Amino acid sequence: FDFFLNWHGHFERTVSKSTSASNDFGNDGNDENNINQHYFGNIPVLIIIAEDLIVYEKLSGLYYLINDVSVIILLSESAAKSGVPSAEDYDSYGYKTLVSSRATHLLDITCELVRGRRDALNKSNRTSGHDDIPWVIVYSDVDTVFLKNPIPYVEAKLFETVDEPNKSPQATERTGLTLASSNRSQRLSPSYDIVSSVDNINASGFEFYYCTGFFAINPTPASVVFFSQWEKELQAYPRLNQPVFNDAIRVPLIGDATIRHAPLKLHDFPSGRLFFETWEKEIDPDFASLKKSNVVVVHNNYIIGHDAKKKRFLDRGLWLLRD
């Protein structure tokens, strides 16, 4: 819970919220089937998934969340079975069960958006002739820190074209969005279904070993099939989801079809090892500082334990909470 509060503090600092939200929407956080009502009108949405009842109750007690029409708080289906008052130990059965549910959450949200996109397209085609409305889902662990707004960066990659391979993220005009959004001013065909941060290069047999702590999704039929396969593998037995993700994303979906995926720039979205260890060992401190100044999102991984992660943030001035 404290890591979510820290994450949300950085999120508020870096991601500008849309001013188009209407008070006509209620915040019925338990109904995942009502997610789509929040997307029409280009309303940014932050979807928070609580994995246990204790955290859900704490989140529901935060007035600035429950009174924000752009926030949806969901209670995981398995939350009622969990009452552990402390963080799960890494690699424990409880931890593996928790992270194995990630594919299910994303599958549910992606399916809902695919349905919403189809309905929106039908309506749009009837009224204005537009043939595509892009939507973006950004998933983030709460042990990340947003140092800049990541949305323009992930959108520039998702929708990059042959004509504009190096399109500047700053050139992508956005009103701001959180976990998911539509932008009716841009009707582009995506180049990728998924773009992801990278934990390592040339590791575990992959050129890019993706990190499931931060990635972005274009809700497409291919994405739905991929998340279905990822979920099926994880439901077979609880385990760490990242190795399964890296295997599944490179397996043909149906026939010769494959999920279109690409890495986000490592120096924009560094792992904890790169940001907190490798760069801090640079001989030239000014050069290391310059690298860090360009970072968009840093993931506090390659370290185990709640207290160790918190101390790492504290020591670098990235922990916003007061004890």
Side-chain angles (χ1 to χ4, degrees):
F1 179 69
D2 58 346
F3 266 83
F4 166 76
L5 295 178
N6 187 66
W7 178 90
H8 190 256
H10 285 281
F11 172 85
E12 286 288 304
R13 289 183 173 190
T14 56
V15 181
S16 58
K17 287 191 174 182
S18 170
T19 58
S20 62
S22 168
N23 290 326
D24 293 339
F25 294 114
N27 189 0
D28 186 4
N30 284 313
D31 189 358
E32 198 156 335
N33 292 326
N34 286 335
I35 289 174
N36 259 311
Q37 69 173 328
H38 292 258
Y39 291 92
F40 299 102
N42 196 27
I43 299 173
V45 179
L46 172 63
I47 303 171
I48 307 165
I49 300 173
E51 294 287 359
D52 66 61
L53 191 56
I54 295 173
V55 168
Y56 177 76
E57 291 175 347
K58 288 182 177 180
L59 290 170
S60 300
L62 298 176
Y63 72 93
Y64 58 86
L65 288 183
I66 61 175
N67 291 324
D68 189 336
V69 297
S70 66
V71 173
I72 302 174
I73 304 173
L74 299 176
L75 180 63
S76 171
E77 290 184 4
S78 60
K81 304 175 184 178
S82 175
V84 181
S86 60
E88 296 280 5
D89 292 331
Y90 181 80
D91 215 21
S92 66
Y93 180 81
Y95 179 83
K96 290 177 180 177
T97 301
L98 187 152
V99 298
S100 290
S101 66
R102 184 172 305 173
T104 301
H105 299 322
L106 289 169
L107 175 61
D108 291 343
I109 293 170
T110 303
C111 286
E112 184 66 20
L113 290 184
V114 168
R115 286 192 292 269
R117 169 182 278 178
R118 182 182 62 240
D119 294 343
L121 287 176
N122 290 337
K123 181 179 180 181
S124 178
N125 286 336
R126 288 195 304 268
T127 59
S128 60
H130 295 305
D131 60 359
D132 191 19
I133 301 176
W135 305 60
V136 175
I137 302 171
V138 176
Y139 173 84
S140 177
D141 278 353
V142 292
D143 63 345
T144 62
V145 160
F146 289 11
L147 299 179
K148 298 178 183 178
N149 182 359
I151 305 305
Y153 293 82
V154 299
E155 286 192 331
K157 186 65 180 179
L158 274 172
F159 297 99
E160 79 177 4
T161 65
V162 175
D163 295 331
E164 299 176 291
N166 299 310
K167 183 178 180 181
S168 169
Q170 287 79 5
T172 305
E173 183 178 354
R174 300 293 296 167
T175 56
L177 71 166
T178 58
L179 190 79
S181 174
S182 66
N183 183 356
R184 294 174 183 271
S185 67
Q186 292 181 337
R187 291 177 170 84
L188 309 171
S189 296
S191 299
Y192 302 105
D193 302 296
I194 295 176
V195 294
S196 176
S197 59
V198 174
D199 252 359
N200 217 335
I201 296 176
N202 297 322
S204 302
F206 303 117
E207 180 182 3
F208 298 104
Y209 188 71
Y210 292 129
C211 176
T212 52
F214 184 91
F215 57 94
I217 308 149
N218 180 52
T220 61
S223 298
V224 172
V225 175
F226 166 73
F227 284 121
S228 298
Q229 291 184 350
W230 191 26
E231 179 192 48
K232 182 179 179 180
E233 291 292 325
L234 291 171
Q235 285 186 342
Y237 64 91
R239 57 190 135 158
L240 300 179
N241 64 57
Q242 186 163 293
V244 182
F245 179 94
N246 276 277
D247 287 334
I249 205 168
R250 294 167 172 92
V251 173
L253 299 178
I254 301 175
D256 295 328
T258 57
I259 189 85
R260 298 170 300 168
H261 57 89
L264 294 166
K265 291 182 179 179
L266 194 58
H267 282 205
D268 289 342
F269 299 85
S271 67
R273 181 167 62 182
L274 185 61
F275 185 89
F276 295 108
E277 298 177 17
T278 304
W279 288 349
E280 292 187 359
K281 294 178 182 177
E282 293 280 358
I283 297 176
D284 185 348
D286 291 335
F287 185 56
S289 178
L290 178 62
K291 285 183 177 179
K292 287 190 173 184
S293 69
N294 292 323
V295 168
V296 180
V297 175
V298 59
H299 190 192
N300 195 354
N301 61 352
Y302 283 98
I303 191 170
I304 297 175
H306 171 278
D307 293 343
K309 286 176 179 277
K310 179 180 176 180
K311 184 178 186 303
R312 192 192 240 179
F313 274 160
L314 275 168
D315 291 345
R316 278 79 173 184
L318 298 174
W319 189 259
L320 302 180
L321 307 184
R322 294 181 179 180
D323 291 334

